[in-house]
Amino acid sequence: MKITSQFKFVPYEEQNHKYYYIDNDLMKHPNAWMLISYSKRGPGKTYSVLDLCRRSEIKFIYMKRTIEDVKALCAGSGSVDTGAKAKLALDLSPFKPLNRDKGLNVRCFYISTGIAGFYNTELDEDHNRYVPVGEPLGYACAVSGIVKFKGIDLAECGVLIYDEFIPQLGERVARNEGSMIMSFYNTLMRDRIQRGLPEIIFIALANATQVSNQLFDATGLIDDVVDLELKHERYFYDADSGVMVHKLMDEDYPEAIKDAETGMERMLKRRNPRMYRVEFEGDFAYDKLDIIRNRSLRGFKCLYGFKHHDLPYYVYRKDGHNYICKVPQPVKLYDLEDKIELQQFWKNYGFDLRVDLFENRTDVDSYSAYNVIYNFKKLYDVS
């Protein structure tokens, strides 16, 4: 059974080419179980995914980073028990634009700590409150609260959506967020294959701000995304693992109407071009993607190595300069997942290696190696 056989797609010729349709990605890669889309703000990523689930009558799980984020989705709606006031002062549900365009009345209601439901609604007898009708179309949950869902059967859900998986600069993120998400997905899968059910589609959506994020790190996709960026390409697809990454560009919505240039856009283009590239062009402009160097090892001596997610990296040194690469040597390999070896590595080498990186005395042959050292304290607890 193809993973995408459960969906009702809109044929390309019937699409509104002013907007992005995730349908095209799923039709292009019918065996992909993970689809990651990132872009500048505004092409309708979330809108497209929710509309596909609604159209296909597939229950979904919509995931945000924190419990507070989930509460915000229910702003003005309250809980399943109380219903929502007919005149909402605020509606932060991702269904708001779909309600407007499709004539729907879907609202998000709080169910319990860290979990909410998206329901069709109708007015009560007094026409004062909207009340949920029928089963939820899908659920909303928080990454920070998914440990609560261990053992809960959500087998009716066919799609897991992680919206805004790339954090904003300065946003707090759990060190193990990536592994938590993968573990949660595995919990959802359970014995679906044995029961003849298709794999759950995992769709991750974000604006391009930081290529160094927990999901790319946990899935080992950082180097592939950086390679895609450096080659100015739009797609990466690994057929063996069923993973697709799509950088949305103008070709994905060729008839989009360009908004009139705003004052902020003009100001950033002139005074802060790096922020302009992030906000209006969807580039990872805050990341040093050109850090990668392919160097000859002549004259270098391999001193030690380290393993991140069980992948080995080796540190060579020559004339006070370091080179981190994947060329193996019979040296001590520190396993960073082991608490004792982690502390030993940090005390003996890690701190100085990080300083050398900051002071341009270290080169790397991959962005993943750079990410481990540069973001060491975000990835590992060395307190």
Side-chain angles (χ1 to χ4, degrees):
M1 178 186 294
K2 289 185 177 180
I3 297 176
T4 55
S5 60
Q6 56 191 317
F7 293 105
K8 297 177 182 177
F9 297 123
V10 174
Y12 183 80
E13 59 274 11
E14 297 178 18
Q15 295 174 9
N16 182 343
H17 299 300
K18 296 178 182 178
Y19 303 101
Y20 164 63
Y21 279 71
I22 198 167
D23 306 43
N24 298 324
D25 291 334
L26 289 163
M27 287 189 285
K28 185 175 183 179
H29 300 297
N31 292 314
W33 69 272
M34 174 183 278
L35 294 95
I36 298 175
S37 297
Y38 67 90
S39 69
K40 63 184 178 181
R41 301 178 189 278
K45 299 183 291 293
T46 306
Y47 184 109
S48 172
V49 176
L50 292 178
D51 190 37
L52 177 62
C53 292
R54 176 195 68 83
R55 217 187 310 128
S56 305
E57 298 181 349
I58 295 175
K59 281 192 177 181
F60 59 88
I61 300 171
Y62 179 80
M63 195 159 55
K64 299 284 281 185
R65 181 157 283 112
T66 69
I67 291 175
E68 292 303 315
D69 291 334
V70 174
K71 287 181 179 179
L73 299 177
C74 307
S77 294
S79 70
V80 172
D81 297 327
T82 62
K85 292 181 180 178
K87 294 184 178 180
L88 292 181
L90 189 63
D91 184 2
L92 300 180
S93 164
F95 266 93
K96 183 177 181 179
L98 279 163
N99 289 340
R100 176 197 63 211
D101 296 343
K102 307 291 184 181
L104 308 175
N105 201 357
V106 177
R107 301 181 187 276
C108 191
F109 294 90
Y110 214 59
I111 297 174
S112 184
T113 303
I115 188 167
F118 295 97
Y119 292 83
N120 287 310
T121 62
E122 62 182 22
L123 284 169
D124 64 9
E125 293 180 357
D126 298 325
H127 289 252
N128 291 324
R129 306 188 76 82
Y130 284 107
V131 294
V133 177
E135 292 291 313
L137 305 179
Y139 301 96
C141 73
V143 175
S144 61
I146 56 180
V147 68
K148 301 177 185 295
F149 301 106
K150 291 286 187 180
I152 294 180
D153 187 4
L154 294 173
E156 74 271 26
C157 297
V159 178
L160 174 64
I161 307 162
Y162 188 12
D163 203 5
E164 300 181 39
F165 75 89
I166 300 178
Q168 298 298 307
L169 292 177
E171 185 177 357
R172 283 178 169 267
V173 181
R175 284 193 179 92
N176 61 339
E177 179 181 279
S179 59
M180 288 169 61
I181 294 166
M182 291 296 97
S183 178
F184 180 52
Y185 177 87
N186 197 36
T187 297
L188 295 174
M189 279 295 297
R190 293 183 184 267
D191 59 345
R192 287 178 67 91
I193 304 301
Q194 288 85 340
R195 288 185 287 147
L197 297 173
E199 293 180 61
I200 294 171
I201 299 281
F202 180 19
I203 300 174
L205 311 169
N207 300 319
T209 52
Q210 302 177 74
V211 74
S212 299
N213 60 76
Q214 290 286 349
L215 185 61
F216 283 168
D217 175 70
T219 54
L221 285 169
I222 286 183
D223 288 332
D224 299 302
V225 174
V226 170
D227 187 59
L228 181 149
E229 288 284 329
L230 293 176
K231 291 179 178 177
H232 303 288
E233 295 178 348
R234 294 164 54 208
Y235 280 101
F236 164 79
Y237 180 61
D238 183 350
D240 289 336
S241 59
V243 175
M244 188 216 74
V245 179
H246 185 185
K247 178 180 182 178
L248 305 189
M249 301 176 72
D250 292 343
E251 295 93 324
D252 295 296
Y253 27 90
E255 298 176 14
I257 299 172
K258 180 69 170 70
D259 293 333
E261 196 172 56
T262 64
M264 177 183 176
E265 195 172 350
R266 293 192 299 272
M267 182 269 289
L268 290 180
K269 186 185 293 186
R270 178 183 176 188
R271 299 178 180 275
N272 193 339
R274 178 169 290 183
M275 184 179 288
Y276 173 84
R277 286 166 54 201
V278 171
E279 295 292 332
F280 296 101
E281 295 183 349
D283 287 340
F284 290 113
Y286 293 130
D287 295 299
K288 198 173 181 180
L289 301 187
D290 60 353
I291 191 70
I292 301 168
R293 301 283 185 273
N294 291 312
R295 302 191 57 161
S296 167
L297 293 177
R298 179 174 295 180
F300 277 86
K301 181 181 180 181
C302 187
L303 303 178
Y304 57 92
F306 58 87
K307 291 194 296 182
H308 175 64
H309 298 330
D310 220 26
L311 298 174
Y313 300 87
Y314 296 86
V315 182
Y316 289 75
R317 191 167 179 84
K318 172 186 174 183
D319 299 332
H321 200 93
N322 306 303
Y323 184 49
I324 307 175
C325 64
K326 297 176 183 175
V327 179
Q329 290 291 340
V331 294
K332 169 65 177 177
L333 265 179
Y334 290 88
D335 184 355
L336 301 184
E337 311 295 331
D338 182 283
K339 292 183 179 180
I340 295 177
E341 294 206 358
L342 169 65
Q343 296 297 333
Q344 289 174 346
F345 172 79
W346 179 249
K347 179 181 178 180
N348 295 338
Y349 300 110
F351 179 84
D352 291 335
L353 186 60
R354 194 161 179 255
V355 171
D356 286 344
L357 183 69
F358 291 158
E359 297 182 355
N360 298 317
R361 292 192 297 271
T362 298
D363 290 331
V364 296
D365 75 342
S366 64
Y367 197 87
S368 57
Y370 171 81
N371 178 59
V372 174
I373 303 304
Y374 186 87
N375 292 303
F376 201 87
K377 290 190 174 182
K378 291 183 178 179
L379 298 171
Y380 295 103
D381 183 5
V382 290
S383 57

